[in-house]
Amino acid sequence: MIAGLFDAGLDVTTADLIVGTSAGSTVAAQICATPPPELYAAILVATSQPRTGPAGSERGRAQIGSVVNHLERTSAIIAAAADAADMRCRMGAAALELDAASDGSWQARWRTTVAARLTGKQWPQQTVQIVAVDARTGEPVVFDRHSGVDLVDAIAASTSSGLPYGIGDDWYIDGGYRRNENADLASGYARVLVLSPFGGRSRHPLEWGMQLATQVDELRAGGSRVETIFPDSSSEHMFGANAMDLSLRAAAARAGDELARALAEQVSEILVLTSREPVD
């Protein structure tokens, strides 16, 4: 998406604030260190190369099975929770239980995986916020370059939706348990662009106010102009249980690039025609 907008003349990587949640935290770091067209080209090159080891279809089925199990487990926790705060506490407790039953090797492996995805491993000078949730308290946490936390660790914490990720004496889980997009963290900015691969949907009860529509209403009430971009209907099959199927990666990248080009004029109305200054 970001590469398609870039090629259409809209460089969103120069934003005054970039908020990254879960997988989006990796993207936030990537786009601050590498031009979007290079990142897009690298995806297409990587997915065109033959894989070694188990057949791609077997690997894909294993990944989908893991995602389905994770969705079922977390859905049960959401259903049992009284509200969003209770849900975050329950998610954290469940993650800590998984960690206690593990062999302890996951953290080092996950940090290596996260670091391998980044060309730049230092916090950018521009304002980037990475969202996570404290596994012990359920309280949301927002990391930035002033937090005293390594960028790789911050991203590893934000992307920990199963086992918790430890930083010092603290443990963290996925930032999406605060809110899927966390767009409300852009409160006070005149122009807000939200890229939501979930299409604004939420697994949580609407009365909890976790969904993107509520966040957009809050931003607009504060004076922000907001544009949202969702995958189009032709890309629906790439989400849900298929979201971790690597065989779909190139198709997903191309779909995002094409959609961005189609929406570039619409997006430019908010990015180009309004003030850069934060709302007073």
Side-chain angles (χ1 to χ4, degrees):
M1 287 294 310
I2 295 170
L5 292 174
F6 187 93
D7 286 343
L10 299 174
D11 184 4
V12 300
T13 68
T14 61
D16 296 318
L17 168 68
I18 297 176
V19 177
T21 298
S22 196
S25 65
T26 301
V27 176
Q30 288 175 328
I31 64 175
C32 290
T34 306
E38 291 184 22
L39 293 168
Y40 177 55
I43 291 172
L44 300 184
V45 169
T47 53
S48 67
Q49 297 173 344
R51 296 189 179 277
T52 58
S57 60
E58 294 177 1
R59 180 172 179 168
R61 283 194 294 270
Q63 290 165 332
I64 290 172
S66 176
V67 172
V68 170
N69 291 339
H70 176 71
L71 290 174
E72 290 176 349
R73 182 176 63 83
T74 54
S75 291
I77 294 173
I78 293 170
D83 53 29
D86 183 39
M87 179 271 295
R88 287 191 288 268
C89 287
R90 288 172 181 262
M91 288 290 184
L96 291 169
E97 287 180 8
L98 286 176
D99 180 70
S102 72
D103 63 6
S105 65
W106 178 83
Q107 168 129 349
R109 289 188 284 109
W110 186 237
R111 192 181 195 284
T112 298
T113 298
V114 170
R117 296 169 176 164
L118 308 178
T119 54
K121 297 178 177 57
Q122 303 299 318
W123 283 97
Q125 287 304 302
Q126 69 194 104
T127 304
V128 174
Q129 295 182 342
I130 304 298
V131 187
V133 169
D134 188 305
R136 289 198 177 106
T137 67
E139 288 298 313
V141 178
V142 179
F143 298 114
D144 61 22
R145 61 190 175 93
H146 303 295
S147 300
V149 171
D150 183 89
L151 176 63
V152 175
D153 285 330
I155 295 172
S158 184
T159 51
S160 296
S161 58
L163 291 165
Y165 186 84
I167 303 176
D169 295 328
D170 299 314
W171 294 89
Y172 301 94
I173 55 174
D174 199 294
Y177 295 128
R178 178 188 180 272
R179 272 176 155 177
N180 282 346
E181 296 83 5
N182 290 309
D184 59 299
L185 294 179
S187 175
Y189 285 81
R191 300 169 298 165
V192 180
L193 175 65
V194 185
L195 306 182
S196 174
F198 295 109
R201 291 169 295 192
S202 176
R203 298 166 60 203
H204 309 103
L206 295 181
E207 59 267 26
W208 292 3
M210 301 276 280
Q211 63 272 20
L212 178 59
T214 298
Q215 299 170 52
V216 170
D217 287 344
E218 293 170 1
L219 288 167
R220 287 175 175 161
S224 299
R225 290 188 61 183
V226 185
E227 183 68 56
T228 58
I229 296 182
F230 305 147
D232 59 21
S233 58
S234 65
S235 301
E236 288 291 320
H237 66 286
M238 300 180 190
F239 295 90
N242 288 330
M244 297 300 288
D245 185 349
L246 292 180
S247 69
L248 296 173
R249 191 177 181 209
R254 292 191 182 96
D257 181 71
E258 292 170 3
L259 181 60
R261 294 170 187 270
L263 296 178
E265 183 176 352
Q266 173 183 330
V267 174
S268 70
E269 293 181 5
I270 185 174
L271 296 185
V272 177
L273 300 181
T274 59
S275 167
R276 295 185 70 253
E277 297 301 318
V279 177
D280 292 331

